[in-house]
Amino acid sequence: MIRGIDISHWQGTVDWDKVNANPDIGFVILKATEGRVFVDDQFEHNWKNCKKPKAAYHFWRYADDPNAQAVHFDAVVRAIAGNVKVRPVFDYEDQNAPKMGNIYSNIKEFHDRAQALFDGRTPLAYTGGWWWDPWIGKDLFGSNPLWIAHYTTAPGPTLPKTGGWATWKVWQFSSSGTIPGIAAKVDLNWFNGTQEDVNAFFYSVGEPVPPPPPPAGDW
């Protein structure tokens, strides 16, 4: 597994020279937007200075129009990332949403519209069983790779009982990481695969994928 972090304005201004030089960080997921108007005020700085494999995420809000949220997310990412095709990440954990009910159609409208705007690129879905099971309670995005939030020291996370996911792509296992170059605590994650898998998943179309490291040996 490969370790990575996720970053938002809560981490303040990141010293990317230190983070980029850290060999223990294989990827970074950056907050871009939330709802239909919020833009993370560190996103532009983070995106332009992060040299690790990276993706951008949107925090879905039930109270905001789902189509407007999708358009907002796409517009902000395109304005900052340019012509690069970014791996979109959708964060589902809004506790202000009503449980069950018409939340299903709302969240599906956002998902489908946002995925289309990102040129059909398959999104990474962030959630946890603590939210997905009581709020959604059924399969909706089971074909999307899962970013599971489960803070535990167990060998692996517990997947939602509902949702249709048989495995996970990224596991957020802690919210109290300490990383040189980041003043605040930071979320820690594992990627289920090798660094080459990370590169293929997170490096955006239009960006050069770095070559794999040379094999170890005596020099």
Side-chain angles (χ1 to χ4, degrees):
M1 297 189 294
I2 302 300
R3 192 170 75 152
I5 57 177
D6 58 275
I7 298 289
S8 73
H9 61 283
W10 292 112
Q11 278 68 52
T13 301
V14 174
D15 183 341
W16 283 106
D17 287 339
K18 291 183 179 178
V19 176
N20 289 329
N22 191 331
D24 293 329
I25 297 174
F27 65 94
V28 183
I29 304 176
L30 303 167
K31 183 172 184 178
T33 52
E34 180 175 330
R36 64 181 181 86
V37 296
F38 177 84
V39 178
D40 191 294
D41 62 13
Q42 292 296 313
F43 177 60
E44 182 171 10
H45 168 78
N46 290 337
W47 185 268
K48 291 182 176 179
N49 289 281
C50 175
K51 305 305 179 186
K52 300 284 186 177
K54 59 194 175 187
Y57 81 86
H58 173 83
F59 191 108
W60 168 83
R61 286 292 186 186
Y62 171 80
D64 287 347
D65 178 79
N67 181 69
Q69 291 189 69
V71 171
H72 173 54
F73 180 36
D74 175 69
V76 169
V77 172
R78 286 182 185 273
I80 292 171
N83 293 325
V84 170
K85 294 181 180 179
V86 177
R87 170 77 66 180
V89 183
F90 305 155
D91 184 335
Y92 301 124
E93 56 176 314
D94 184 3
Q95 297 182 61
N96 294 317
K99 294 182 179 180
M100 308 300 182
N102 65 346
I103 188 174
Y104 182 96
S105 59
N106 182 300
I107 202 170
K108 188 174 188 306
E109 181 180 350
F110 164 76
H111 172 279
D112 292 351
R113 177 66 168 142
Q115 181 171 358
L117 288 169
F118 278 82
D119 304 310
R121 195 161 202 195
T122 303
L124 178 66
Y126 173 94
T127 195
W130 65 271
W131 188 86
W132 190 268
D133 290 332
W135 265 267
I136 303 297
K138 55 185 173 182
D139 188 358
L140 186 56
F141 309 130
S143 62
N144 292 164
L146 174 64
W147 178 12
I148 180 71
H150 184 198
Y151 300 161
T152 176
T153 57
T158 299
L159 302 182
K161 295 181 176 65
T162 58
W165 291 288
T167 188
W168 54 274
K169 180 67 71 175
V170 181
W171 168 24
Q172 186 184 78
F173 66 91
S174 173
S175 61
S176 56
T178 301
I179 302 295
I182 304 176
K185 298 295 185 181
V186 65
D187 296 334
L188 301 177
N189 302 270
W190 289 114
F191 183 92
N192 195 3
T194 66
Q195 186 64 55
E196 287 75 16
D197 296 328
V198 167
N199 293 350
F201 187 79
F202 282 109
Y203 262 96
S204 305
V205 175
E207 288 186 319
V209 178
D218 296 329
W219 300 96

